[in-house]
Amino acid sequence: MPDNSNQLDIHMFPCLSDNYGFLLHDKKYNLTATVDTPDVRAIENALAEKNWTLTHILNTHHHWDHAGGNLALKRKTDCMIVGPRADAARIPGIDIQVGEGDVFEFGDHLAHVHDTPGHTRGHIVYHFINDNVAFVGDTLFVMGCGRLFEGNAEQMWESLQKIMHWPDDTRIYCAHEYTQTNARFALTVEPQNQELIKRTTQVNQIRAKGLPTIPTTLGLEKKTNPFLRPMSTDLRKTLNMKSASDVEVFAKTRQLKDKF
Ligand SMILES: [Zn+2]
């Protein structure tokens, strides 16, 4: 039985120009995972600072700023690498392949895995249901979503809908700090969204202090993220797509953001 008193310790730190690194620690079993491997040096510094020893890498997708440090860290620590089954050939050093419906046991903490293709064809997200936290890589961002490099809008919309089923108070850790640009775009498509206007002001204040806007919550994203809101009448009015399907509105929003 999972021990609920054994809280999942999360340490977040900036990497590269706009990535975030995440260390997850299970005290009882003395396990430490890094979610993705954007920057080996930054991850090693964070491990030293916390006095934790790396035991796992949890990869979300194959991009170099997510899996590029896998082999260097594995060589130094002999850690176990968990990653998407659908993209195993492109995850360096992968040991354990996971996909939709799998549950990865990280000590007392159970990571429920979903396939979320769209940004890449083999992207996965990790939802720690009992801890109410999720690591979504480049699928969902604060007021944004990942670019469609290897998938289409139908796939990405389906992937985002899986996330939308989680509880509203789920704390969501996105892999990049793209929030201010995303907010500026969101305001162009939903200019009347009062929650969005309010949040943009808050986000600008947070960034002015150099602080992260992550984690977000699903509830907040549902109110302010245009990529989770194809049903919004304000958005549909801007796009002149009053009777289109949700996925058509989503696809158009994504196209506009690509050109923004
Ligand atoms: Zn990516």
Side-chain angles (χ1 to χ4, degrees), residues 19 60-66 119-120 123 137-139 141 146-147 149 175-176 178:
N19 284 72
T60 60
H61 65 297
H62 77 91
H63 283 155
W64 70 272
D65 60 326
H66 293 262
H119 177 67
T120 64
H123 198 296
D138 288 355
T139 293
F141 295 120
R147 275 178 189 265
F149 286 121
H176 290 271
Y178 292 155

Side-chain angles (χ1 to χ4, degrees), residues 4-122:
N4 288 330
S5 67
N6 178 17
Q7 231 193 349
L8 182 68
D9 226 326
I10 301 170
H11 178 56
M12 181 172 108
F13 49 96
C15 287
L16 308 174
S17 59
D18 52 33
N19 284 72
Y20 284 115
F22 310 103
L23 293 181
L24 315 183
H25 184 66
D26 179 304
K27 275 184 280 303
K28 196 160 95 185
Y29 296 94
N30 199 21
L31 302 175
T32 305
T34 176
V35 178
D36 289 329
T37 55
D39 181 340
V40 172
R41 181 73 62 83
I43 293 167
E44 286 177 329
N45 288 344
L47 287 163
E49 189 190 317
K50 300 300 282 186
N51 201 19
W52 292 342
T53 304
L54 192 69
T55 55
H56 294 80
I57 294 170
L58 305 182
N59 279 132
T60 60
H61 65 297
H62 77 91
H63 283 155
W64 70 272
D65 60 326
H66 293 262
N70 278 19
L71 294 181
L73 285 166
K74 189 171 185 171
R75 214 176 296 128
K76 292 178 184 188
T77 64
D78 201 29
C79 62
M80 179 88 74
I81 302 182
V82 182
R85 181 179 299 123
D87 224 345
R90 294 193 291 178
I91 303 293
I94 191 166
D95 296 298
I96 299 179
Q97 302 180 19
V98 293
E100 185 69 33
D102 287 339
V103 179
F104 178 72
E105 268 182 57
F106 179 69
D108 277 330
H109 309 281
L110 306 182
H112 293 249
V113 176
H114 294 284
D115 286 322
T116 57
H119 177 67
T120 64
R121 62 173 183 262

